[in-house]
Amino acid sequence: MAFDRVLTIMDELRENCPWDRKQTMDSLRHLTIEETYELSDAILEKDLNEIKKELGDVLLHLVFYARIASETGDFDITDVMDSLCKKLVDRHPHIYGEAQADTEEQVKQNWEQLKIKEGNKSVLGGVPGSLPALVKSMRIQEKARGAGFDWEDREQVWDKVREEIDEFRAEFKAGAVHDTERAESEFGDVLFSLVNYARFVDINPETALERTNKKFITRFQYIETKAKELGKSLKDMTLAEMDVFWNEAKTLKK
């Protein structure tokens, strides 16, 4: 089997390769994060061949952690998979038990209630502290919704967005010296409310922002290319000149 071959190769590398022998869970951690982001990029680009390769890299890291833990007798890859299977069965009583869940929302609510029964002190306890802030805000709101704490409709959320924007703008009234810390807090409220609205209209804010980042990069690099063709640097160009190329870039196939 292919998975058995992966395990065999991992064992051989751990025993014979100086680099692989040296690695610890701590040393692999930042590399795992990097691989996860590379997988995310491939998914955004809809590059299936690259997705396949990046999934392999992520799988390598999972196998690597399990191999390291097996050396100290804490757990091995079989324990990892057994634990996963148990959790999946336990968290889906509507499939493997007597519970009822006919909608996605009911499944999410059951999931959060089960996690509380398993020992989580808070519905929000399962949100990793090291998540990027935008992703974290989305997960916090999803979990709160799973516990029944949410707005009733999206118009209420949009009213909240406008309220938060007005409060942020009020920090910059003409002639007033703004309080940076307070302004930052108000800006955070604006972002949080926008994430909330995005959730209500089925938009993933992290994906949306990253697509805009990529779009900006593509258009800005187009300006750089055109400037180079003219023998100019961006510093030598006026904003009006750059705007011409920016608008050209907007018409190109994405």
Side-chain angles (χ1 to χ4, degrees):
M1 289 175 58
F3 191 65
D4 288 334
R5 188 179 178 210
V6 170
L7 296 179
T8 298
I9 292 174
M10 182 74 258
D11 288 342
E12 292 171 348
L13 294 178
R14 184 66 173 170
E15 292 166 8
N16 301 308
C17 174
W19 186 89
D20 289 282
R21 236 185 359 245
K22 184 180 178 181
Q23 300 313 305
T24 65
M25 289 191 183
D26 286 336
S27 69
L28 287 174
R29 177 181 173 275
H30 76 282
L31 297 175
T32 306
I33 293 171
E34 180 180 327
E35 295 295 354
T36 304
Y37 277 109
E38 289 178 0
L39 172 60
S40 175
D41 282 344
I43 292 171
L44 284 175
E45 296 296 330
K46 293 182 171 55
D47 186 335
L48 293 177
N49 190 53
E50 199 64 24
I51 290 172
K52 178 183 68 176
K53 291 192 290 186
E54 296 301 341
L55 283 171
D57 290 341
V58 172
L59 178 59
L60 167 63
H61 280 244
L62 302 181
V63 169
F64 211 150
Y65 287 118
R67 164 65 202 226
I68 292 171
S70 72
E71 295 167 6
T72 56
D74 291 297
F75 60 84
D76 60 20
I77 193 65
T78 300
D79 296 322
V80 172
M81 292 188 289
D82 285 342
S83 177
L84 172 60
C85 290
K86 182 179 185 307
K87 181 168 73 172
L88 289 174
V89 171
D90 289 346
R91 296 276 180 86
H92 292 79
H94 55 291
I95 303 296
Y96 301 103
E98 303 300 324
Q100 190 72 23
D102 298 321
T103 67
E104 177 188 1
E105 198 58 42
Q106 289 175 320
V107 172
K108 289 180 178 179
Q109 290 176 356
N110 287 347
W111 185 280
E112 296 303 336
Q113 291 168 4
L114 286 166
K115 290 177 74 173
I116 291 292
K117 289 181 181 179
E118 291 169 4
N120 276 18
K121 294 180 180 179
S122 167
V123 168
L124 305 181
V127 180
S130 58
L131 276 180
L134 192 65
V135 178
K136 187 189 294 184
S137 65
M138 182 75 168
R139 295 295 294 131
I140 287 171
Q141 292 171 18
E142 288 176 340
K143 286 183 173 294
R145 179 177 178 80
F149 184 77
D150 203 6
W151 300 91
E152 293 178 354
D153 60 69
R154 68 185 188 186
E155 287 308 309
Q156 291 176 319
V157 185
W158 185 247
D159 288 342
K160 186 63 176 176
V161 171
R162 289 189 294 190
E163 175 189 324
E164 297 296 355
I165 290 174
D166 288 343
E167 290 179 3
F168 176 61
R169 290 183 64 189
E171 291 298 314
F172 300 91
K173 289 180 180 177
V177 178
H178 72 271
D179 181 327
T180 301
E181 186 174 332
R182 182 175 173 82
E184 181 184 81
S185 175
E186 295 295 349
F187 184 65
D189 291 344
V190 171
L191 291 177
F192 195 84
S193 64
L194 282 170
V195 168
N196 224 337
Y197 190 78
R199 181 172 55 84
F200 261 77
V201 294
D202 295 322
I203 291 174
N204 184 301
E206 173 70 19
T207 300
L209 182 58
E210 182 56 17
R211 289 193 188 283
T212 295
N213 288 340
K214 289 179 177 293
K215 182 167 59 179
F216 182 92
I217 290 170
T218 299
R219 292 175 181 176
F220 189 82
Q221 289 177 338
Y222 180 83
I223 296 174
E224 290 178 314
T225 299
K226 288 299 182 179
K228 188 175 181 180
E229 290 175 359
L230 294 173
K232 293 184 177 182
S233 71
L234 293 184
K235 292 181 180 179
D236 298 328
M237 298 177 70
T238 66
L239 184 57
E241 288 176 314
M242 287 190 280
D243 275 343
V244 170
F245 294 131
W246 178 268
N247 289 326
E248 280 183 16
K250 289 169 67 174
T251 65
L252 298 178
K253 184 177 179 181
K254 297 179 179 60

